[in-house]
């Protein structure tokens, strides 16, 4: 069978939708299928991190997400004898246009991404399931079953499994999903609560575990998340059970009411052994699942998609070598591992059954928390991690520093900060961006010709005078996902020419 399309995207959750937006921006032919007949209506993930907002800004969807969401700035930590207020993001995050955690239900996030795709003529083929996948030479032979039961075979150059924790693509590609399940059960409900101060996240902590209320807005004012105490009945989740648990966790005086969704679930911590097998890639929950501590799951999936999308697009267009696709797993698998490690630790602190952890929650944390919230430096470190702004690809083969590294400023593999303010907006258009700092006379067109000739439609040039994030004369090639690919000090362009020849060869045929 001949190749019928460049890319098959399996799964239209947040990961698949973000990937589709990127492929569409590069004019790649693809299909986006999802076996479910409707998009998710319940709120699952509900925090959008600053880095995700930055990364989605290029598609023009971030403003709509921000308009619909709630940039909650405070955490109220309810301790046995007092309540401590922890400002969430007002700690001098000056290098991002989005210095806050945006609260928005996953249903709304998917709706905004879906509307964006619809205006660009992309629709999700709902009720269409991937049921089988075989490698056929370098391509993938995929069997799809439509909602009427009819089956269709398609040959795709690449398949991306954005199909969630029980990924068919992962199973069919023979990739292991290694890890473990936690013994505890989580209780989750979207409901209204009398007695909670609005505009803040509320956390109650006891030896038994943690109870958290997040401001949600829609489809209910609050999201409640709690660990089911080990001696609580494992019955169906009901409002009286939730009220009883809230009382036990010290949230006395609150009245829970009008639930629109109540459920319980077991958490897992698992990661795909590989992110690629031949023409098949994994992204999002198909590649990593973990506890919701720190609101990382959906964000990590969207950022997987934004790392992979432009690479597949440029390879399909013949503008980049196949080798570029190898950098996807090299760059994103360590991020997935780190998220699993970090969320595992956070989960242990909040819910671990070990007596030492129970003691810490009951006695130690209530004593040290009021002091800890005043320590700005550790808070800033934690928030840079949680916000995902600190993610870098410094060890990737696609990150190169020229012979003379800049003395300060972002390094090869780092995300480009929004310094000076508005810089990220300048480089938001699809494609690569060449930033040149220092006097403009250093960068006449004819000097740039060895880098730009044959690539003018792929690289946009920005002469920044001395307003760039590097203090010296510098040259930096910023990748389509906003990470610095190449950076060097000085005006010698030989290293840059070599970088472009490797990753953007003029003729890859
Ligand atoms: C109850 C619950 C609460 C959560 N709370 C949080 C939270 O507070 N914070 C947070 O960050 N994360 C949370 N998460 C995790 C978050 O929802 C996921 O990380 C996120 O949805 C992952 O997106 P995804 O697109 O990778 O996968 P999914 O959203 O799972 O989407 C996968 C899609 O693939 C489709 N699909 C599957 N198999 C096939 C097939 N064979 N053919 C075609 N289509 C297929 C499915 O129908 C689905 O639409 C929660 C998850 C759950 C279940």
């Amino acid at each position: 069978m001949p190749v019928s399309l460049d890319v098959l995207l399996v799964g239209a959750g947040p990961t698949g939708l973000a990937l589709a937006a990127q492929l569409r921006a590069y004019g790649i032919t693809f299909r986006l299928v999802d076996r479910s007949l409707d998009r998710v209506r319940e709120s699952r993930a509900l925090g959008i991190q600053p880095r995700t907002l930055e990364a989605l800004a290029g598609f023009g969807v971030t403003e709509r997400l921000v308009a619909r969401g709630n940039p909650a700035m405070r955490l109220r930590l309810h301790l046995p004898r007092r309540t401590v207020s922890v400002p969430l993001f007002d700690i001098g995050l000056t290098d991002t246009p989005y210095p806050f955690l945006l609260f928005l239900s996953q249903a709304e996030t998917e709706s905004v991404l879906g509307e964006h795709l619809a205006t660009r003529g992309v629709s999700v083929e709902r009720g269409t399931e991937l049921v089988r996948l075989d490698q056929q030479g370098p391509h993938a032979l995929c069997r799809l079953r439509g909602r009427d039961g009819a089956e269709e075979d398609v040959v795709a150059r690449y398949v991306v499994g954005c199909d969630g924790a029980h990924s068919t693509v992962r199973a069919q590609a023979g990739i292991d999903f290694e890890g473990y399940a936690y013994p505890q059960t989580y209780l989750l409900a979207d409901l209204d609560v009398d007695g909670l101060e609005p505009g803040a996240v509320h956390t109650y902590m006891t030896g038994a575990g943690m109870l958290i209320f997040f401001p949600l807005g829609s489809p209910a004012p609050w999201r409640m998340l709690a660990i089911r105490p080990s001696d609580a009945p494992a019955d169906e989740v009901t409002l009286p059970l939730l009220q009883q648990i809230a009382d036990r966790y010290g949230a006395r005086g609150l009245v829970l009411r009008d639930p629109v969704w109540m459920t319980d679930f077991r958490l897992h911590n698992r990661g795909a052994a590989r992110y690629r097998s031949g023409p098949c890639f994994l992204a999002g929950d198909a590649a990593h699942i973990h506890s919701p501590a720190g609101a990382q799951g959906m964000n990590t999936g969207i950022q997987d998609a934004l790392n992979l999308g432009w690479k597949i697009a440029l390879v399909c267009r013949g503008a980049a070598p196949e080798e570029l696709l190898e950098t996807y797993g090299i760059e994103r698998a360590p991020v997935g591992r780190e998220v699993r490690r970090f969320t595992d630790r956070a989960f242990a602190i909040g819910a671990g059954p070990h007596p030492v952890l129970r003691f810490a929650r009951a006695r130690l944390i209530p004593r040290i928390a009021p002091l800890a919230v005043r320590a700005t430096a550790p808070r800033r470190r934690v928030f840079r991690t949680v916000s995902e702004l600190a993610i870098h690809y410094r060890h990737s083969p696609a990150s190169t520093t020229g012979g003379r590294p800049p003395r300060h400023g972002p390094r090869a593999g780092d995300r480009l900060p929004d310094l000076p303010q508005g810089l990220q907006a300048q480089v938001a258009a699809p494609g690569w961006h060449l930033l040149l700092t220092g006097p403009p006379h250093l960068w006449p067109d004819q000097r740039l010709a060895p880098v730009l000739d044959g690539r003018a439609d792929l690289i946009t040039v920005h002469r920044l005078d001395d307003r760039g994030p590097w203090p010296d004369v510098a040259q930096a090639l910023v990748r389509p996902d906003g990470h610095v690919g190449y950076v060097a000090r000085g005006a010698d362009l030989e290293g840059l020419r070599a970088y472009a020849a490797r990753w953007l060869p003029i003729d890859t045929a």
Side-chain angles (χ1 to χ4, degrees):
M1 277 176 80
V3 173
S4 44
L5 77 162
D6 285 330
V7 188
L8 176 68
L9 299 181
V10 185
T15 306
L17 293 169
L19 193 42
Q22 208 175 27
L23 295 181
R24 181 67 189 82
Y26 285 91
I28 299 301
T29 58
F30 67 93
R31 286 173 67 178
L32 173 57
V33 300
D34 197 298
R35 69 178 168 204
S36 95
L37 291 174
D38 195 6
R39 65 181 174 79
V40 168
R41 299 281 165 184
E42 308 98 13
S43 67
R44 285 159 67 190
L46 40 75
I48 309 184
Q49 298 291 353
R51 180 61 192 141
T52 308
L53 293 170
E54 287 184 356
L56 290 173
F59 306 111
V61 298
T62 296
E63 275 172 25
R64 267 180 280 160
L65 293 171
V66 172
R68 290 203 203 178
N70 172 10
M73 300 296 267
R74 274 173 311 121
L75 176 93
R76 301 278 283 164
L77 192 55
H78 299 269
L79 302 167
R81 284 193 198 82
R82 60 191 291 198
T83 296
V84 180
S85 202
V86 187
L88 277 178
F89 275 82
D90 64 339
I91 43 164
L93 286 181
T94 53
D95 67 346
T96 175
Y98 311 103
F100 48 81
L101 177 63
L102 184 74
F103 281 89
L104 185 66
S105 89
Q106 183 170 335
E108 287 283 311
T109 302
E110 291 187 22
S111 155
V112 169
L113 287 167
E115 284 163 18
H116 166 81
L117 288 172
T119 59
R120 278 149 186 81
V122 177
S123 55
V124 180
E125 296 178 47
R126 294 221 163 262
T128 303
E129 179 175 14
L130 174 82
V131 289
R132 192 181 161 139
L133 194 159
D134 292 296
Q135 206 165 323
Q136 192 177 67
H139 307 310
L141 174 60
C142 311
R143 177 154 302 162
L144 301 176
R145 185 178 296 145
R147 61 177 82 184
D148 57 359
E151 293 191 343
E152 170 196 10
D153 283 341
V154 294
V155 178
R157 199 163 161 196
Y158 300 110
V159 176
V160 189
C162 311
D163 48 350
H166 304 285
S167 169
T168 307
V169 173
R170 192 182 63 229
Q172 296 272 315
I175 299 175
D176 287 340
F177 204 36
E178 297 153 351
Y180 47 88
Y182 293 99
Q184 301 93 333
T185 316
Y186 251 113
L187 300 169
L188 184 155
D190 291 349
L191 35 59
D192 205 348
V193 184
D194 291 333
L196 266 187
E197 175 199 325
V201 178
H202 296 266
T203 302
Y204 297 82
M205 190 179 282
T206 68
M210 266 171 97
L211 161 70
I212 309 179
F213 291 99
F214 298 94
L216 192 60
S218 164
W222 295 98
R223 149 76 60 86
M224 171 179 170
L225 199 59
I227 289 130
R228 190 195 287 265
S230 51
D231 56 353
D235 303 345
E236 196 193 339
V237 186
T238 59
L239 192 59
L241 173 75
L242 295 176
Q243 182 70 58
Q244 192 194 339
I245 285 168
D247 294 345
R248 272 187 67 176
Y249 278 124
R252 289 195 187 80
L254 301 185
V255 178
L256 313 188
R257 62 182 170 86
D258 302 332
V260 295
W261 187 39
M262 294 182 287
T263 188
D264 58 356
F265 58 98
R266 285 283 295 280
L267 290 176
H268 294 250
N269 185 305
R270 295 184 191 279
R274 284 170 293 147
Y275 276 35
R276 177 184 189 182
S277 172
C280 305
F281 294 84
L282 300 176
D285 274 20
H288 40 72
I289 53 170
H290 44 78
S291 99
Q296 303 287 294
M298 181 185 75
N299 290 277
T300 308
I302 291 176
Q303 287 174 47
D304 286 345
L306 298 178
N307 182 290
L308 180 60
W310 64 274
K311 293 176 180 172
I312 289 192
L314 292 188
V315 171
C316 286
R317 277 172 54 172
E322 250 282 327
E323 187 193 354
L324 183 63
L325 296 175
E326 283 305 307
T327 66
Y328 168 62
I330 292 172
E331 293 174 358
R332 293 304 296 177
V335 174
R337 276 197 296 276
E338 179 55 26
V339 168
R340 288 175 55 206
R341 197 182 63 82
F342 161 76
T343 54
D344 186 63
R345 281 197 188 165
F347 184 73
I349 292 169
H354 193 282
V356 172
L357 294 168
R358 295 177 73 95
F359 174 79
R361 282 194 298 269
R363 309 249 171 230
L364 207 58
I365 293 177
R367 275 166 199 252
I368 60 171
L371 303 172
V373 299
R374 281 190 234 131
T376 311
R379 252 181 44 221
R380 185 175 292 143
R381 260 201 309 280
V382 170
F383 288 137
R384 276 208 94 78
T385 304
V386 172
S387 64
E388 306 194 351
L389 294 170
I391 290 172
H392 65 79
Y393 308 133
R394 287 181 188 167
H395 306 296
S396 167
S399 303
T400 303
T401 305
R404 296 177 66 207
R407 280 185 286 246
H408 304 285
R411 291 156 59 176
D414 289 358
R415 114 191 197 282
L416 185 74
D418 195 42
L419 289 175
Q421 223 178 22
L423 183 61
Q424 287 186 353
Q426 283 187 55
V427 302
W432 295 72
H433 294 266
L434 177 57
L435 306 187
L436 302 166
T437 69
H441 70 78
L442 287 176
W443 313 112
D445 286 348
Q446 67 272 23
R447 284 204 62 230
L448 301 179
V451 177
L452 297 181
D453 279 358
R455 304 184 183 97
D457 59 334
L458 289 172
I459 302 178
T460 309
V461 179
H462 307 263
R463 291 177 177 84
L464 298 176
D465 302 326
D466 55 357
R467 292 173 293 110
W470 299 275
D472 311 297
V473 169
Q475 37 180 301
L477 192 55
V478 179
R479 312 183 336 175
D481 58 0
H483 283 260
V484 177
Y486 175 88
V487 65
R489 182 155 51 103
D492 179 357
L493 291 167
E494 182 45 33
L496 178 63
R497 194 203 55 72
Y499 182 90
R502 176 167 181 198
W503 297 109
L504 291 168
I506 288 169
D507 186 3
T508 58

